[in-house]
Amino acid sequence: MARISLSRRLRRTPFSDGVEAAGVKGYTVYNRMLLPTVFESVEADYRHLKSHVQVWDVSCERQVELRGPDAARLMQMLTPRDLRRMLPGQCFYVPIVDETGGMLNDPVAVKLSEDRWWISIADSDLLLWVKGIANGYRLDVLVDEPDVSPLAIQGPKADDLLARVFGDRVRDIRFFKFDKFEFEGRELAIARSGYSKQGGFEIYVEGSDIGMPLWNALFAAGEDLQVRAGCPNLIERIEGGLLSYGNDMTDDNTPHECGLGKFCNTHTAIGCIGRDALLRVAKEGPVQQIRPIAIDGDALPPCDRPWPIVAGGKRIGQITSVAWSPDFNTNVSIGMVKLSHWEPGTRIEVETPDGMRGATVRDKFWI
Ligand code: THG
């Protein structure tokens, strides 16, 4: 197998030394940065994530910082989710759309104060879009990428591990809220959030210099909790229905097609770019939507290009993510399915690299 060549353009992270020492076996590239994908094996990592606690280098979830008097106005221009009731200390999952209503990113917005926000982005160059909007509208706001790298602590023992390093007050953090905690004289935002359904936190590590000291402190504190280095796990995230921008959706999709209509308040999100386009598509309703799909038969290879979904000889959608689930004993997958076939229980066929497979559209993800 060919190897990817490392260079300055493919950015390391403040935790890369720790990730390498932990024996990382595979990486992907995300926001031009290294993102681990495998340590022991995807299945062994999955079992450990569901049983213990892992420390994830998710530095590639870069922050777009908005700072200044127009920060809140700019943030509302970027998303159809109504932010008027959002308070400092809260995180919101927010679709970001272009002028046609197409998805540009699906980040977590972090409100630090009225005039300071972080947008914790998925894999697309959102900084350029945000800078363009800020400058084009002559807004009084600074837009940049600060030296902030999220470190996720995920798994059933995440509370116990973080309490040992930051104190019992971490247990009081509510879902999608954050509070400030001290580490080596620095104030760090810690949120109860993360890209798994196993529970846990995200530490927004401000200042690369404390990356490895914090990494080492977590591993020293968690030895008896069986803490390990981990990473977003393909199997677990499909079971949990956590979408991956660029895989499960692109700028060709509206938030409604992605099942993110519940995070849109297009009528009240006054000033949002793409509002008119979204009001039109919301009225008609989407004609295709993301669905959980169980694919028959034994384990399938990874989905590195969309696999056509067919029914009655016609293409009615595509599979965009797939993995064998040991817990559910089936291939779990995420697909975009046309209205005519998206009803739960509908039988469809998938053109996989291993040949045609029967599959069933489900009503809910697995966890
Ligand atoms: N955390 C942070 N930044 C991120 C991610 C993250 N940036 C990249 C990527 N992940 C953005 N995409 C997502 C997708 C799903 C969720 C968060 C970010 C998520 N969804 C929950 C769910 O669907 O169950 C909860 C959503 C809610 O109820 O508000 O957590 O993971 N910092």
Side-chain angles (χ1 to χ4, degrees), residues 30 61 93 106 108 120-122 176 195 197 202 204 242 263:
Y30 194 101
E61 297 169 351
Y93 184 39
D106 68 330
V108 177
S120 186
I121 63 171
F176 265 57
Y195 200 64
K197 292 284 193 181
E202 292 177 303
Y204 290 85
L242 295 170
F263 300 111

Side-chain angles (χ1 to χ4, degrees), residues 189-207:
I190 303 184
R192 191 179 289 276
S193 56
Y195 200 64
S196 88
K197 292 284 193 181
Q198 304 309 309
F201 303 88
E202 292 177 303
I203 310 171
Y204 290 85
V205 181
E206 213 170 339

Side-chain angles (χ1 to χ4, degrees), residues 163-178:
R164 292 184 187 181
V165 176
F166 293 98
D168 273 324
R169 197 165 53 87
V170 297
R171 299 182 192 277
D172 301 333
I173 306 171
R174 308 266 302 258
F175 186 62
F176 265 57
K177 297 217 171 35
F178 70 85

Side-chain angles (χ1 to χ4, degrees), residues 144-303:
D144 67 4
E145 184 184 296
D147 179 15
V148 172
S149 296
L151 187 65
I153 315 301
Q154 300 286 299
K157 303 180 190 168
D159 280 69
D160 293 337
L161 176 58
L162 267 213
R164 292 184 187 181
V165 176
F166 293 98
D168 273 324
R169 197 165 53 87
V170 297
R171 299 182 192 277
D172 301 333
I173 306 171
R174 308 266 302 258
F175 186 62
F176 265 57
K177 297 217 171 35
F178 70 85
D179 207 343
K180 294 285 184 83
F181 294 82
E182 200 187 291
F183 182 78
E184 294 196 347
R186 304 265 264 283
E187 289 281 307
L188 302 179
I190 303 184
R192 191 179 289 276
S193 56
Y195 200 64
S196 88
K197 292 284 193 181
Q198 304 309 309
F201 303 88
E202 292 177 303
I203 310 171
Y204 290 85
V205 181
E206 213 170 339
S208 296
D209 57 313
I210 58 168
M212 281 313 298
L214 176 58
W215 177 279
N216 290 329
L218 288 162
F219 283 89
E223 218 170 321
D224 60 303
L225 299 176
Q226 301 210 55
V227 62
R228 281 196 205 163
C231 51
N233 183 274
L234 180 70
I235 311 169
E236 200 271 349
R237 78 118 180 130
I238 297 173
E239 288 179 352
L242 295 170
L243 303 182
S244 169
Y245 185 80
N247 286 318
D248 304 317
M249 67 238 188
T250 70
D251 59 0
D252 282 340
N253 304 117
T254 65
H256 305 280
E257 290 177 342
C258 304
L260 301 179
K262 58 176 179 282
F263 300 111
C264 296
N265 320 93
T266 312
H267 284 280
T268 61
I270 311 292
C272 158
I273 292 161
R275 184 163 174 263
D276 296 348
L278 280 185
L279 285 172
R280 273 196 299 277
V281 300
K283 199 161 78 199
E284 319 250 312
V287 297
Q288 57 176 358
Q289 210 164 47
I290 285 180
R291 284 287 182 272
I293 296 163
I295 307 179
D296 302 347
D298 55 13
L300 286 160
C303 186

